[in-house]
Structure formats: structure tokens, C-alpha cells
Amino acid sequence: MTLDEKIGQLMLINSPGGHSINSIKDDLRAGRIGAILNEVDPETVRELQRICIEESRLRIPLLIGRDVIHGFRTVFPIPLGQAASWDPELIEQCARVSAIEAKSRGVNWTYAPMLDICRDPRWGRIAETLGEDPYLTSVLGSAMVKGFQGDNLSGADSIAACVKHFAGYGASESGKDYNITNIPENELRNVHLPPFKAAIEAGAATVMTSFSDLNGIPASANEFLLKQVLRNEWNFNGFVVSDWESVRILQTAGLTEGDKESAEAAINAGMDMEMASRTFADHIKTLLDENKISMAAIDKMVENILRVKERMGLLNFNAERLGYFREYDLNGHLEIAKEAARKSLVLLKNNNYLLPLKKTNLTNVAVIGPLADDKYEQLGTWIFDGDENISETALHAITEEGKENFSVKYVRGMHTTRSRSYDFFEEAKAAAYDSDVVLLFLGEESILSGEAHCRSDISLPGNQAELINALKETGKPIVLVLMAGRPLALEYIIDKVDALVYAWHPGTMSGTAIADILFGKYSPSGKLPVTFPRVTGQIPVYYSQKNTGRPATPESFNHIDNLPIRAHQVSVGNTSFHLDTHYTPLFPFGFGLSYTEFHYSDIRLSSDKLTPQGKILASATVTNTGNREAEETVQLYIRDLAGSITRPVKELKGFKKIRLEAGKSSVVEFEITVNDLKFWNKYMKYTYEPGKFHLWIGGDSDANLRAEFELIQI
């Protein structure tokens, strides 16, 4: 390869669009472009690939990249919503469908899954994450990788996955996008890196760096991340791509003086491919002449990229395969989307068993809210290729449900979720007065979450709280369905509604899925993948926090409203809490109600001693004490009571989904070995430490059915 051809493989450019393809034909023929993003017109892709195969010297096809985040034409729930299913097999199916649809348009590389751990829901990109927990994210992220890439990366329906953002992006300071992150190495290794390692072990072909800097060194020039961890420790043999212009903006961040120095820093740190900007193309030759970088480094970068192209079957790509973009079964894909949407919905409140609604008991139903009938907004963030024309709204599905039983009155209630107007309030109240039940659809439009869409206050935007208060005055039961790209702080309205279904942004089949839940065709089974704060000021609040030396207790907690006048300084208990809200979250990680009830009992351990070579079997009996069959996610948590560094109060170590008929019981068993107890200790060694452990089995992170065992060194 000539040097120009090598540099070409390192370049990922944004598509000029089909009408401007002539502007890059000469570069394609000369081998000066290795990858293109954001081109989804099949005819254009065919022509781009044809030029590379038939008119360039080396005949190396292009990578065609696209943000296929939670679907393509068929849109699935946002990743945070998919995570609420706690169903890796279903999530793998969603990614498989996404790959099939994207490949039908010529796309062969997606910038997903996003594996950032996020514990600050002010951050807009929490919508793209799989939540706050490293274990859950590892399991579900690996399933996504398998779904995108299939059994064989060179398969006709496979696309290469790109795990992002490496690493620590979810800890952006103040929940602001592109902001700095300061993460001690110990926390980085114990919390933020495990999902990436798991995805790479699952075969992820590529890795994308984070926009943010990590402890003062931007990820795109961070040798510790890209060489020490990724290559030396994990033996990653794919390639690393920058995020959009994240090499060029090293200068903006203050790490380098200009584009040439930015290219030097990124290349020497271990970057392989540059997205969108041209610092590599413009400066590699000069940097080589100045001995600032080596030809060996360039060769290694090219080798990493070509190795992935070979795995994808691109190096065997020929003219006969250029037009082979397969058709797919849209109806089958919509069925999977419906199942994913149903399993993503989380029932958070259900006073007096208001849900499921009995159609025969209803005459008039009021459907109120700007998100009840919006085919676009329910799709969520990052849906460039989503087809809103096949999207089904809740209003449509509810109207269909009521055809033979009840009438539906729809009032928008607000112009948008951000409106400060009261224009529709009286009409909404009138509809509520005339109804048997109010189905209220509020939350966030899709634009309020996603990249660069962060919020300083995550309570309901606009006049939504006022609308809820107005409808409460009617005395009619209110079922609140919230669509949002993040957990919202709901303490001030939770007592005003009778039932609450958290729907996230559920995607194309939102309507049917929501109606199936509301009218009892399907019992809700979703569980929260992230903790819900009471108020924004509690952030960060997450289930696996450290205990501190002075943890809050029911006895020590004293609310600001209860403080006596002229109270002395130590009158509030001197423990860790905020005066103006309770120290617990509104809803804990792993929480989610069902239309039945599950009782946990009889926790047992096969032994109360564990050796490094042995195992313990932990089990509990789960009984469906309700009157209908339903699904439950049984969760295992462990606490290391004392370590060389302080340990979280609980850590998720396993989960199993079971389905139980009414009145039936099942013994659910987990196997525990020292691998479940390892962590990065004070000496930055990944190991286990002998001592006592608590273990819980239950339906959420507040589980109280507990056993104890000891890890002993023989």
C-alpha cells in the first residue's frame, strides 16, 4: 500500500449525499477514503462500493456507518427502556432486526451499543444507556453486540457493532454533555469499564472513544485507555474510531495547540480511525517527516481496520454482491417491537388495583395529553431512519379497544410537553368530569433527551404538574402514562395520580403495547434499570452507593419542616441525608409492579462457607400469591461487608426471569463463586478478599430476604 492508501483507510467521512457523489469519486478511486457515514440510499451505496471494487487499485470496499441505536425503520424502545425488560434474549432480537433493516439499505456498521454507566439522569444521553448498573449493562450490552453481529460477522444480515463511549462519558460533570469526567481509577475499573470488557469478550468489532476527558486527558488521546487497558490488558484486536471530530477538538479542550498536534496525540495514544475531521489526512505525512509518529504505528492502525473488514467479509466482496440488499419481514419485526415495548413498560403505582381497566365497567374514557397521539415523539431520540408512518399511537389503540364498550374523548391538554399555556385546561377538565377514568399521557418530547439535550431540573417540564392538579380536582381516577428519555423527579405529583405506568419512549408499537397493559391483556413485567430520585437535588442517587461512616436511618432522619425553632446544631442526627427530602429514592433500582403479587421466602445457602475453588448455591422460593399468571425478574444482590476499599451496600450479581401461574411457587437458584466477589482493590489488583458477605434474593434492590456467608482462604 502507498502512504496515501494507508491514510485513506484511516478516514471516516460524512456522506456528501447521493446528489454530490461526484465530489468524492476521485478520492474513492485513489483509495483516499476507507469509510463513510450517514449514507442510507441503497443505489448510492452500490455506486460507492462499485467504484472501490472496480476502479480503485486495491479494491477494498467501504465501511458504511450509521447510528442504528434502537432500531432502523422499525423503532424499538430507547435503550434505557429496553433495559427495563431485563431480557437479554429479547434485546438480542431487537438488535438483530435493526441489523437486518440497516443492512437492507447498505449499512454495515453501527455506532452501538452505548455502554456508559450513568447515575445522573440530568444527562440527556442516559436515554441511550442501559442504566446505572455495571452487571446489567454488561449482560444486555453483550446481547446487543451478538444481535448486531449475528453468529458470523460476514453474514448477509450482520453489521459490525461499535461499543461506545470509551470510557467514563456517563459520569460527565453536572450531567452536561461533553463535560469533563473525574473518575478515580478504582471506580473506573469497578464501575465503568466492565461493560466494555464484556462486550469485547462477546466479539464487538470496534470501539468508539468518548468526547469527554478522563482525569485531565481526553479519551481520544488517552494512552491509558486505548493502549494499556484496551490492547494490553484486554487483547482487543478490532479498531478504535473517534467520535465526531473528537480528534480535532483536542485543541479546543486545551490539550494541544492545533490540528497537527491533535493528530499526533491521538495516533500515539492508540486511535485508529478519525471520524468527520481531517487532522490525520492533513498532517500524517508531516508528522512522519518530523519523527513525531512512526510508520509502524500507521501500519498497525491500517492492519487493525483491515482485520475488521476481513472479518466482515468485505475483502472478499465482489461486484456480484453489490446489489444484494435483502428484503425483510416488516410484520414480523413489528411483532418483536410490540413485545419489546410491552416488556419495557414499568408499573410504578397502582392504588386500589385500578389497573387493569375492565372495559365492561367503562362508558366514557378521557384520553388527555400531548403524547397520546404523536407518532413521532413516542419514537424517542436517535431515530434518523424511523418510519413514523408505521407508528401506532396510544389514542388509536385505546379507541380500538373501546369500540364495543366505551367512547373515547381526546383532549390535547397542552400544546407540547414544555408549554406554559393553560389554553386546553378547561377542555381537559370537562372531558375528565364526563369520564369514568382519565388516561393522561405526559412526560418529555423526544427532543428533551439524547445528545446535548441535558436538563438542570428533571421534574415534569412546562405546566404538566398544573394540569395534573387541575384534573385531580375533578375527583376522577387518573392513570398517568409517562413517556420520557430519562427518570423524572416525581415527588410533587406522585400522590395526585392513582396509577403510574412509565413507558420511556416505547417506539413504533407504543400504542398497542400501552393498551395491552392498561386493559390487562398483558401483565406488566418491566423493572427499573435506574434509580428514580424524589427531586433533582438528590442526584446522584443509585442503589449501590457506599454506606458512609454515618448512614441515614429512620431514627436519625429529620425533615426540615419538623425542625424546632432555634434548634441546636446537633439536633438533626448528624447522618448523611438532605434536610428537605427523604434519604431514600422515590423508586429503587430493579423495582416494578405486576398485576399479581410475588412473595419471596425460604432463602437457603448450600453452605455458609465459600472457598476460592468452590461454589455456593443460593436459592429462594418465589410464590405467585395473586390471581393471574405473570412474569417476575428474580434478582440476586451481594454485599462485601469489609474490604481493602469500602464496598457498595449492594451489588447486582445475577437475575433470572420466571413465569408463574396463580398460586404456584418456584425455587430459584443462583450459583456463587469467587468470580462474583472479585473487585479492583486498593493496590489496583483484580482479586477477591476473604471475609463475610450478605446476600439478598428479591424483586428489587430493596430486597430484605437475606442470608450470610463467609469466603475463607484455605
Side-chain angles (χ1 to χ4, degrees):
M1 297 178 75
T2 67
L3 180 55
D4 282 339
E5 289 168 334
K6 292 177 182 179
I7 295 172
Q9 289 301 310
L10 313 181
M11 298 307 301
L12 169 58
I13 71 164
N14 194 36
S15 172
H19 62 284
S20 302
I21 191 172
N22 289 335
S23 66
I24 61 171
K25 280 185 175 180
D26 288 344
D27 284 334
L28 292 173
R29 294 185 182 105
R32 290 193 290 264
I33 300 172
I36 290 178
L37 74 157
N38 295 330
E39 182 52 69
V40 293
D41 176 66
E43 293 305 317
T44 301
V45 172
R46 286 188 184 98
E47 179 60 10
L48 293 171
Q49 297 287 33
R50 187 199 65 78
I51 293 170
C52 290
I53 293 170
E54 297 182 353
E55 299 182 22
S56 72
R57 187 177 75 89
L58 296 178
R59 302 168 57 87
I60 301 174
L62 297 164
L63 291 169
I64 306 293
R66 186 68 160 172
D67 283 290
V68 185
I69 306 302
H70 55 109
F72 196 76
R73 183 185 181 191
T74 304
V75 179
F76 300 98
I78 58 172
L80 190 61
Q82 290 185 48
S85 74
W86 290 56
D87 191 331
E89 289 78 18
L90 179 60
I91 286 174
E92 182 176 341
Q93 275 189 293
C94 294
R96 183 92 292 273
V97 168
S98 301
I100 290 169
E101 293 190 359
K103 198 69 174 284
S104 77
R105 307 290 293 184
V107 174
N108 56 24
W109 183 26
T110 177
Y111 307 121
M114 180 167 155
L115 302 180
D116 300 297
I117 299 299
C118 182
R119 293 168 173 180
D120 189 338
R122 294 175 298 178
W123 191 47
R125 300 198 79 166
I126 192 174
E128 301 169 62
T129 75
L130 297 168
E132 72 181 43
D133 182 70
Y135 178 84
L136 183 63
T137 298
S138 295
V139 172
L140 302 185
S142 296
M144 277 191 175
V145 169
K146 293 173 184 175
F148 286 130
Q149 298 191 168
D151 296 329
N152 186 341
L153 190 52
S154 64
D157 292 329
S158 295
I159 62 177
C162 184
V163 294
K164 65 183 186 184
H165 303 85
F166 195 64
Y169 191 28
S172 293
E173 194 172 86
S174 188
K176 290 189 298 186
D177 222 343
Y178 319 121
N179 209 357
I180 65 169
T181 60
N182 286 294
I183 308 173
E185 184 180 347
N186 182 278
E187 183 176 348
L188 182 72
R189 289 184 177 275
N190 282 322
V191 175
H192 297 274
L193 294 185
F196 289 94
K197 186 173 188 292
I200 287 167
E201 290 172 348
T206 66
V207 171
M208 181 187 293
T209 54
S210 168
F211 276 118
S212 58
D213 74 35
L214 175 65
N215 302 329
I217 308 296
S220 293
N222 196 307
E223 189 171 347
F224 167 76
L225 287 176
L226 303 185
K227 286 188 175 178
Q228 180 176 325
V229 174
L230 193 59
R231 299 292 186 185
N232 298 340
E233 296 181 20
W234 296 353
N235 298 313
F236 176 61
N237 68 353
F239 73 81
V240 179
V241 62
S242 78
D243 208 333
W244 187 279
E245 293 192 338
S246 68
V247 175
R248 185 189 62 78
I249 64 175
L250 293 175
Q251 176 187 5
T252 310
L255 186 75
T256 63
E257 293 183 353
D259 284 356
K260 185 175 78 168
E261 292 78 13
S262 295
E264 176 189 349
I267 290 168
N268 286 332
M271 183 69 70
D272 295 313
M273 181 182 286
E274 180 178 10
M275 181 191 291
S277 50
R278 291 184 48 85
T279 71
F280 286 10
D282 293 342
H283 298 290
I284 279 178
K285 290 181 179 179
T286 301
L287 290 168
L288 285 168
D289 290 341
E290 295 175 352
N291 293 319
K292 298 289 183 62
I293 61 174
S294 68
M295 185 59 75
I298 300 300
D299 288 345
K300 186 65 176 176
M301 294 159 69
V302 175
E303 178 187 334
N304 291 336
I305 293 166
L306 293 181
R307 186 185 305 113
V308 170
K309 287 189 174 184
E310 182 179 35
R311 286 178 58 198
M312 295 171 67
L314 292 180
L315 300 190
N316 298 319
F317 209 59
N318 55 50
E320 292 179 2
R321 291 182 60 188
L322 282 176
Y324 187 59
F325 297 143
R326 291 163 38 137
E327 297 297 321
Y328 54 83
D329 175 16
L330 178 60
N331 289 332
H333 292 180
L334 293 176
E335 283 299 311
I336 296 171
K338 180 170 68 175
E339 181 71 359
R342 289 194 305 194
K343 287 196 169 186
S344 74
L345 302 182
V346 186
L347 180 63
L348 294 178
K349 182 178 180 180
N350 193 20
N351 275 7
N352 300 316
Y353 302 101
L354 174 61
L355 296 178
L357 299 172
K358 296 176 177 59
K359 290 188 283 187
T360 54
N361 293 344
L362 300 173
T363 303
N364 297 299
V365 171
V367 177
I368 299 172
L371 297 180
D373 193 33
D374 196 315
K375 291 186 173 187
Y376 174 79
E377 297 296 354
Q378 67 188 29
L379 299 181
T381 186
W382 285 110
I383 45 95
F384 298 135
D385 305 292
D387 184 355
E388 65 178 283
N389 294 316
I390 62 172
S391 190
E392 184 185 52
T393 69
L395 177 62
H396 172 78
I398 292 165
T399 302
E400 288 295 308
E401 287 287 339
K403 275 185 174 179
E404 298 180 4
N405 294 281
F406 57 84
S407 63
V408 175
K409 171 67 174 178
Y410 172 60
V411 179
R412 190 169 180 86
M414 301 172 67
H415 293 283
T416 70
T417 64
R418 298 163 281 148
S419 295
R420 297 288 181 184
S421 162
Y422 296 88
D423 292 350
F424 302 123
F425 275 35
E426 290 305 315
E427 185 184 1
K429 288 177 68 175
Y433 273 120
D434 291 339
S435 72
D436 303 305
V437 64
V438 175
L439 304 181
L440 181 59
F441 290 81
L442 298 176
E444 294 180 324
E445 297 149 79
S446 59
I447 194 64
L448 298 186
S449 61
E451 184 172 348
H453 301 151
C454 307
R455 297 181 58 199
S456 65
D457 177 4
I458 61 167
S459 58
L460 288 169
N463 278 352
Q464 293 185 51
E466 288 86 344
L467 178 59
I468 292 171
N469 289 333
L471 295 174
K472 179 68 174 176
E473 292 173 2
T474 68
K476 297 304 175 77
I478 299 173
V479 177
L480 177 60
V481 179
L482 285 178
M483 296 186 190
R486 57 166 58 81
L488 295 173
L490 304 171
E491 182 173 59
Y492 298 123
I493 62 92
I494 190 64
D495 292 334
K496 309 290 178 62
V497 300
D498 300 279
L500 171 58
V501 176
Y502 215 85
W504 318 99
H505 288 127
T508 300
M509 297 301 290
S510 297
T512 300
I514 291 170
D516 284 352
I517 294 291
L518 295 180
F519 294 100
K521 290 183 179 178
Y522 185 90
S523 178
S525 61
K527 298 281 190 174
L528 295 179
V530 63
T531 302
F532 273 49
R534 295 174 179 272
V535 294
T536 304
Q538 270 189 309
I539 296 169
V541 57
Y542 49 95
Y543 86 93
S544 58
Q545 289 180 304
K546 303 293 183 70
N547 201 42
T548 80
R550 290 186 171 182
T553 64
E555 295 75 25
S556 68
F557 175 69
N558 199 349
H559 193 272
I560 192 171
D561 293 342
N562 299 324
L563 294 178
I565 297 173
R566 298 179 65 85
H568 59 86
Q569 181 63 38
V570 296
S571 63
V572 293
N574 282 17
T575 57
S576 182
F577 62 86
H578 298 101
L579 283 172
D580 49 359
T581 192
H582 200 265
Y583 60 88
T584 59
L586 187 61
F587 299 110
F589 174 86
F591 177 77
L593 300 173
S594 171
Y595 288 156
T596 189
E597 293 184 1
F598 294 99
H599 177 68
Y600 287 76
S601 63
D602 196 24
I603 190 167
R604 295 188 179 188
L605 301 180
S606 59
S607 173
D608 62 358
K609 298 289 190 294
L610 175 65
T611 65
Q613 296 76 32
K615 65 181 180 181
I616 287 177
L617 299 180
S619 65
T621 300
V622 184
T623 303
N624 182 344
T625 59
N627 58 11
R628 66 178 291 167
E629 182 180 349
E631 187 176 74
E632 170 72 333
T633 301
V634 183
Q635 301 161 40
L636 169 72
Y637 295 90
I638 291 178
R639 179 182 180 185
D640 185 349
L641 295 181
S644 59
I645 61 167
T646 56
R647 307 289 289 123
V649 294
K650 281 181 181 174
E651 291 180 290
L652 181 70
K653 293 296 182 179
F655 62 90
K656 292 185 177 181
K657 299 185 77 68
I658 62 171
R659 190 166 191 85
L660 283 178
E661 296 178 5
K664 298 294 185 180
S665 297
S666 176
V667 176
V668 181
E669 187 174 82
F670 297 92
E671 181 179 292
I672 300 157
T673 71
V674 291
N675 289 329
D676 300 304
L677 309 180
K678 288 182 176 179
F679 65 100
W680 289 88
N681 67 12
K682 67 185 291 185
Y683 305 108
M684 285 302 114
K685 181 180 179 182
Y686 187 62
T687 187
Y688 57 85
E689 294 179 352
K692 293 182 178 180
F693 294 80
H694 284 168
L695 175 151
W696 295 262
I697 297 176
D700 59 55
S701 58
D702 276 353
N704 53 26
L705 188 64
R706 193 186 81 186
E708 183 175 312
F709 67 92
E710 184 177 7
L711 174 59
I712 58 175
Q713 188 75 54
I714 297 180

